[in-house]
């Protein structure tokens, strides 16, 4: 199964031009303000639609609040529906199901949802285990936002929440493949700065890394994704 790694983006501009099982994790485009979808980073589908292309004026009314929390068993159908709606194919939804069934990839407590005002699931972000060389690392993908809630900050809220949870778990390195205009706001920098590279060809700026606690230098090497990603 071809899965997404890191930032599942809707028609991500950084998806390889040739067929590839890896696509950006966020599924949206920088112009819309939500995260882009990426498969290679597609372990997450960010919603670029959450990031306004222009900053709101001081007089703009406050946007909606997005409560975030770890997913529960009761959320599974809604999580699948959000991923299926946010991406052009069901690949990301299938990916989440496959990762959830893989005990070597799944990291309890790092599958997060953002709730809409009515309590429904508005956005989703997932971090799973990967490796850089022989060292453990984590991959953000997919990140998905329900179409009805894009461009309102739900994607940013859920990404910040799952990254905070990863930091509290002691994760030392999180990787994402996505739009370089979007992920740096969370602290991501080009992975190549640390000598980290994906197992496929993508623009250097699209493969990004975050050291959650900001300390130390992460291991260098080639990323190995869970089998579900298909790379």
């Amino acid at each position: 199964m071809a899965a997404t790694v890191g930032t599942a983006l809707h028609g991500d501009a950084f998806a390889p031009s040739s067929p590839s099982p890896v696509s950006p994790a966020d599924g949206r485009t920088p112009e819309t303000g939500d995260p882009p979808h990426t498969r290679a980073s597609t372990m997450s589908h960010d919603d670029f639609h959450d990031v306004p292309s222009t900053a709101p004026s001081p007089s703009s009314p406050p946007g909606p609040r997005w409560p975030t929390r770890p997913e529960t068993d009761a959320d599974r159908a809604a999580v699948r529906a959000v991923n299926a709606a946010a991406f052009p194919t069901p690949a990301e939804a299938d990916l989440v199901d496959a990762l959830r069934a893989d005990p070597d990839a799944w990291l309890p407590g790092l599958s997060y949802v953002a709730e809409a005002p009515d309590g429904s699931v508005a956005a989703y972000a997932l971090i799973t285990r990967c490796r850089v060389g022989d060292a453990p690392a984590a991959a953000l993908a997919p990140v998905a936002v329900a179409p009805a809630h894009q461009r309102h900050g739900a994607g940013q809220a859920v990404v910040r929440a799952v990254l905070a949870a990863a930091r509290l778990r002691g994760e030392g390195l999180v990787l994402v493949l996505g739009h370089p205009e979007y992920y740096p706001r969370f602290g991501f920098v080009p992975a190549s700065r640390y000598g980290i590279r994906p197992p496929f060809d993508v623009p250097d700026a699209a493969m990004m890394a975050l050291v959650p606690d900001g300390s130390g230098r992460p291991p260098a090497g080639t990323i190995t994704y869970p089998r579900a990603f298909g790379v």
Side-chain angles (χ1 to χ4, degrees):
M1 175 188 71
T4 54
V5 181
T7 7
L9 311 172
H10 291 313
D12 186 337
F14 293 106
S17 57
S18 57
S20 169
V22 175
S23 70
D26 30 13
R28 272 56 166 216
T29 62
E31 300 83 79
T32 60
D34 284 339
H37 307 309
T38 309
R39 233 187 218 106
S41 188
T42 143
M43 295 182 210
S44 56
H45 165 115
D46 313 13
D47 81 308
F48 267 95
H49 300 300
D50 285 349
V51 182
S53 56
T54 58
S57 68
S59 61
S60 298
R65 301 297 180 188
W66 302 102
T68 57
R69 58 175 174 79
E71 76 161 25
T72 67
D73 289 346
D75 297 318
R76 290 188 180 186
V79 164
R80 181 173 178 84
V82 167
N83 278 282
F87 291 92
T89 76
E92 283 73 22
D94 292 342
L95 172 64
V96 173
D97 290 343
L99 290 168
R100 192 183 283 117
D102 182 352
D104 293 328
W106 193 256
L107 297 174
L110 295 186
S111 178
Y112 258 68
V113 299
E115 294 182 343
D118 64 0
S120 63
V121 175
Y124 177 73
L126 176 63
I127 290 178
T128 52
R129 176 67 66 220
C130 66
R131 303 191 73 81
V132 173
D134 295 327
L140 171 62
V143 173
V145 180
H149 299 297
Q150 293 172 5
R151 303 188 135 218
H152 294 294
Q156 289 197 65
V158 77
V159 169
R160 292 189 190 283
V162 77
L163 290 175
R167 183 177 62 252
L168 290 174
R169 274 182 54 103
E171 295 295 332
L173 175 64
V174 180
L175 302 162
V176 68
L177 171 61
H179 284 285
E181 294 88 350
Y182 185 76
Y183 287 97
R185 72 194 64 202
F186 305 109
F188 284 93
V189 300
S192 59
R193 292 189 187 179
Y194 298 120
I196 296 170
R197 56 191 177 277
F200 40 78
D201 292 332
V202 294
D204 183 73
M207 188 75 247
M208 289 167 275
L210 169 68
V211 178
D213 63 4
S215 65
R217 184 176 180 84
T222 300
I223 304 165
T224 300
Y225 288 105
R227 182 173 300 178
F229 283 95
V231 295

